């Protein structure tokens, strides 16, 4: 029997046979809470599969979209990852846009919340509102019967499971309106503080992904994810179970019966691989003075999904406990940031239910780290209020009611952050003080959304609220943290200013012992930039990388393969000069690599930057992390008026001699020729390659003609004028050719030398 997808509007819940039915309370929110806790996230009953989790070897392993961006609510595509799949030298940029699949499924988010978006934008009207307006004309494909309408609605609802990830704050390439630009330029200038928190004693951090480790060999990162289509496909056994899985040669056999546990083991294997990479990332951060890391929410793909969700214990308990042990030894802080679709103030019950599942998943992830008491309290979950839905006061009331129904584990970790769309610090601070929720101050968001009646844009006026914000943290004995980022230099309007700059130029006026999360697209490189600028602790631990060279991998980059020489054609010269130079360069690279004896690197040192700590890449030079690519030189454009150089081939020479022979024979036969017959034909005509065919004999009428003496050089030297051919008489007439004789296709050699 197909599993019934539970609707939030249902008034009854079907309990499993082995559980005792519990009467539902009248509150719809509590009904959602009960349904969520009883069946939505079930424990695993299978063991993870030994699959290949390296995206360079397994095309089904993807990079989490949120981990690539500066922040879950941030704009833009984040860093651009160019990856090469197995047996394919063609790179594929990882983007948020959908990619085709064999069964037509597009890229999905790791959470079902993306289908239930309640994000609002005050500057740009939502397109979803227009879609809900009923059309006056009946669509052509609308089902006619009620049964057909019901079936179509069910299909549309099921299609939400495969809807691609949609970021409502995605960068809009359309140019802003002129009035919007004028309003943005006329706003009062920001008033910033000149205070710098130096000497620095706090912890700097970045979000989710280390760019240097991501391009190590093998890659190290904790945001691998997959598609729902891959989970469903891996429910089927392999065509050859005795052999490892292969992208083309040994894939799951869909003709064999599917097993849900096998697909569950597949997605759990990805999560375990992500968790096992966290210790490596922590040790790498510690080596270079970074002691603050935000864990990726996509570490366990679809763990909070309404249909494919699962609990992390017991299959991930050991891997997460090991990560927590390393964090405790090094004194690092770990946090999480659920996405912008997790909203406790939404008026839609299904969004609230999905938000409960997502918060429970993050709370379980952090609790399985088994951190010491203070580090465990500091492991918080940052949340945005979300949309206002036309009434801020009503949205805050719904948030208060829904917050009361959360589990204590979620309440202990939940903190609120001001956003760059609707909710300012002044909007959230009162509710945080009321419900005992810490408030995260984001400087970048504050400079876009603030209360102009109470303060000015910039970092100076907000310092008056520092004491009240800090008190929301100290009441729960949690170490305070702040977020800092900067807009791109070209940004003018509010929507443009939301996009995070790849790196930051300064420090905010916070206390010197603050835990500061740098939300920038260049991740750890943005932290390195601050270290170098202000000589912060750790600035002398790293150096610039050598472009396209990694000396900390046990698998050195192989030299580029030689280009096979194409067989030479007759009448053409060898390879071009550019190709010869390229082949010589490749030979030199091969010789250098062959001369160097590669010493195996201990496993714990792989990807750590080597003894010189070469892990820093300059702004805009992220391609230095990848091996050098073969560059095909394009042909230089031809200059205007340039004459094409003539290449004299055997065919062209033969053609010239044949034309000369025909002309001489015509002269001998007394046929008058124009002067153009003796002029060399243009190069374009001679360059045409035509197949030589024997010439057919042409019958000519017999007639008596007088022989014409051949001009000689002596005649020219004597400066004698050439007589008219009609007045010249010859004593020896030319013997006529027999009619049956066949004219040769090739011209005979003629001797123009004078007799005697």
């Amino acid at each position: 029997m197909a599993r019934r997808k539970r609707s939030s509007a249902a008034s009854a819940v079907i309990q499993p046979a082995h559980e005792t039915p519990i009467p539902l309370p009248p509150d719809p929110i509590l009904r959602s809470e009960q349904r969520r806790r009883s069946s939505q996230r079930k424990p695993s009953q299978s063991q993870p599969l030994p699959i290949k989790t390296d995206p360079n070897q397994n095309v089904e392993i993807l990079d989490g979209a949120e981990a690539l961006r500066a922040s879950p609510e941030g704009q833009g595509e984040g860093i651009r990852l160019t990856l090469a799949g197995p047996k394919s030298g063609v790179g594929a940029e990882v983007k948020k846009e959908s990619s085709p699949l064999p069964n037509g499924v597009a890229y999905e988010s790791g959470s079902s919340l993306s289908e239930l978006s309640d994000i609002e934008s005050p500057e740009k009207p939502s397109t979803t509102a227009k879609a809900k307006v009923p059309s006056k004309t009946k669509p052509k494909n609308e089902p006619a019967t009620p049964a057909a309408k019901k079936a179509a609605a069910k299909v549309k609802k099921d299609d939400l499971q495969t809807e691609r990830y949609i970021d409502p704050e995605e960068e809009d390439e359309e140019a802003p309106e002129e009035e919007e630009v004028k309003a943005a330029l006329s706003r009062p200038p920001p008033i910033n503080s000149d205070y710098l928190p130096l000497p620095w004693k706090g912890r700097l951090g970045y979000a989710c992904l280390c760019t240097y480790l991501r391009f190590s060999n093998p890659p190290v990162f904790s945001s691998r994810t997959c598609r729902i289509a891959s989970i469903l496909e891996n429910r089927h056994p392999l065509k050859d179970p005795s052999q490892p899985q292969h992208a083309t040669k040994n894939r799951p056999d869909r003709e064999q019966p599917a097993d849900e546990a096998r697909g569950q083991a597949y997605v759990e294997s990805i999560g375990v691989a992500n968790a096992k990479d966290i210790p490596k990332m922590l040790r790498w951060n510690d080596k270079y003075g970074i002691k603050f890391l935000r864990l990726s929410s996509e570490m366990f793909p679809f763990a909070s999904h309404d249909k494919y969700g699962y609990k992390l214990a017991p299959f991930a308990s050991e891997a997460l406990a090991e990560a927590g042990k390393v964090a405790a030894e090094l004194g690092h802080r770990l946090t999480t940031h659920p996405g912008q679709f997790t909203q406790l103030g939404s008026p839609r019950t299904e969004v609230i239910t999905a938000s409960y599942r997502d918060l429970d998943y993050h709370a379980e992830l952090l609790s399985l780290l088994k951190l010491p008491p203070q580090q465990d309290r500091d492991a918080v979950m940052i949340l945005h209020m979300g949309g206002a839905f036309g009434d801020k006061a009503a949205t805050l009331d719904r948030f208060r009611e829904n917050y009361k129904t959360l589990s204590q584990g979620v309440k202990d970790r939940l903190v609120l952050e001001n956003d760059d769309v609707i909710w300012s610090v002044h909007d959230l601070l009162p509710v945080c003080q009321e419900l005992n929720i810490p408030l995260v101050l984001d400087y970048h968001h504050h400079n876009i959304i603030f209360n102009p009646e109470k303060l000015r844009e910039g970092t100076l006026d907000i310092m008056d609220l520092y004491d009240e914000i800090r008190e929301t943290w100290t009441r729960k004995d949690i170490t305070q943290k702040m977020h800092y980022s900067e807009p791109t230099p070209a940004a003018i309007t509010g929507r443009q200013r939301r996009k995070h700059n790849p790196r930051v130029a300064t420090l905010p006026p916070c206390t010197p012992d603050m835990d500061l999360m740098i939300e920038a697209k260049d991740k750890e490189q943005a932290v390195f930039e601050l270290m170098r600028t202000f000589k912060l602790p750790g600035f002398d631990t790293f150096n610039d990388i050598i472009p396209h060279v990694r000396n900390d991998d046990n698998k050195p980059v192989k030299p580029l393969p030689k280009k096979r020489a194409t067989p030479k054609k007759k009448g053409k010269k060898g390879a071009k000069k550019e190709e010869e130079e390229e082949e010589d360069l490749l030979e030199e690279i091969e010789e250098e690599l062959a001369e160097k004896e590669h010493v195996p690197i201990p496993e714990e040192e792989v990807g750590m930057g080597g003894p010189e700590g070469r892990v820093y890449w300059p702004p805009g030079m992220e391609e230095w992390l990848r091996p050098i690519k073969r560059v095909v030189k394009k042909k230089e454009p031809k200059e205007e008026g340039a004459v094409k150089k003539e290449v004299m081939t055997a065919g062209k020479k033969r053609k010239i001699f044949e034309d000369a022979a025909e002309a001489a024979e015509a002269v001998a036969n007394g046929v008058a020729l124009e002067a153009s017959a003796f002029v060399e034909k243009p190069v374009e005509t001679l360059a045409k390659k035509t197949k030589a065919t024997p010439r057919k004999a042409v019958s000519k009428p017999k007639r008596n003609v007088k022989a014409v003496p051949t001009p000689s050089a002596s005649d020219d030297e004597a400066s004698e004028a050439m007589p008219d051919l009609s007045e010249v008489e010859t004593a020896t007439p030319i013997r006529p050719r027999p009619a049956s004789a066949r004219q040769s296709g090739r011209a005979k050699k003629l001797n123009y030398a004078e007799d005697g």
Side-chain angles (χ1 to χ4, degrees), residues 695-721:
R695 300 179 181 274
K696 295 182 179 180
V698 181
S699 60
K700 298 181 180 179
K702 297 180 181 180
R703 60 179 179 176
N704 295 328
V705 294
K706 298 180 180 181
V708 180
T710 304
S712 63
S714 60
D715 297 333
D716 296 335
E717 293 174 359
S719 302
E720 295 180 359

Side-chain angles (χ1 to χ4, degrees), residues 356-376:
Y356 283 150
R357 291 196 309 268
D358 200 44
L359 293 175
D360 279 350
Y361 153 64
H362 285 84
E364 183 185 13
L365 188 157
L366 294 173
S367 63
L368 289 178
L369 294 173
K370 305 297 181 183
L371 295 168
Q374 184 60 50
Q375 286 180 284
D376 187 54

Side-chain angles (χ1 to χ4, degrees), residues 472-537:
T472 62
W473 294 87
T474 56
R475 286 191 302 179
K476 301 184 74 171
D477 195 18
I478 301 176
T479 304
Q480 185 181 3
K481 60 168 294 195
M482 290 183 176
H483 295 173
Y484 184 72
S485 56
E486 295 173 357
T488 56
I492 298 177
T493 65
R495 179 173 292 274
Q496 292 173 339
R497 292 163 61 204
R498 275 189 251 156
K499 183 178 179 181
H500 295 73
N501 205 37
R503 304 194 185 186
V504 294
T506 188
L507 288 167
C510 60
T511 57
D513 60 347
M514 181 64 62
D515 285 352
L516 188 63
M517 175 62 62
I518 306 299
E519 294 185 327
K521 292 183 178 182
D522 286 351
K523 306 296 182 176
E524 82 287 350
Q525 301 297 321
V527 178
F528 288 160
E529 203 72 38
L530 282 176
M531 289 181 176
R532 281 193 168 182
T533 302
F534 297 102
K535 300 295 187 292
L536 304 182

Side-chain angles (χ1 to χ4, degrees), residues 325-444:
K325 180 181 177 181
V326 175
E329 292 175 356
L330 303 178
H332 287 210
R333 183 174 188 176
L334 302 176
T335 61
T336 60
H337 194 329
Q340 69 269 28
F341 301 111
T342 303
Q343 304 181 36
L344 294 178
S346 173
R348 300 171 59 189
T349 308
E350 58 268 27
V351 174
I352 300 300
T353 304
S355 299
Y356 283 150
R357 291 196 309 268
D358 200 44
L359 293 175
D360 279 350
Y361 153 64
H362 285 84
E364 183 185 13
L365 188 157
L366 294 173
S367 63
L368 289 178
L369 294 173
K370 305 297 181 183
L371 295 168
Q374 184 60 50
Q375 286 180 284
D376 187 54
R377 287 193 296 271
D378 293 344
V380 296
M381 303 183 301
I382 300 95
L383 188 67
H384 289 286
M385 181 64 68
F389 313 102
D391 190 343
K392 283 188 174 182
T395 300
L396 291 175
D397 290 339
R398 287 191 297 269
F399 178 86
R400 293 185 181 95
E401 294 300 321
N402 296 333
Y403 178 80
K404 295 177 182 178
T405 64
L406 296 174
S407 64
Q408 190 60 40
V410 174
K411 289 181 179 179
D412 293 340
R413 301 186 186 277
L414 187 66
V415 300
L416 286 178
E417 176 190 359
N418 61 305
D419 60 55
D420 54 2
V421 181
I422 296 175
W423 300 95
S424 67
V425 174
H426 283 94
D427 293 329
L428 298 181
L429 185 57
V431 71
C432 288
Q433 294 171 335
E434 175 188 348
L435 300 178
N436 195 19
I437 301 175
L439 175 63
V440 177
L441 171 61
D442 189 303
Y443 288 93
H444 176 58

Side-chain angles (χ1 to χ4, degrees), residues 645-661:
K645 185 178 180 180
E646 178 186 358
V647 179
M648 187 62 66
T649 61
K652 293 181 180 180
K653 293 179 180 179
R654 185 175 65 243
K655 180 66 174 174
I656 293 174
F657 282 116
E658 289 177 355
D659 293 342

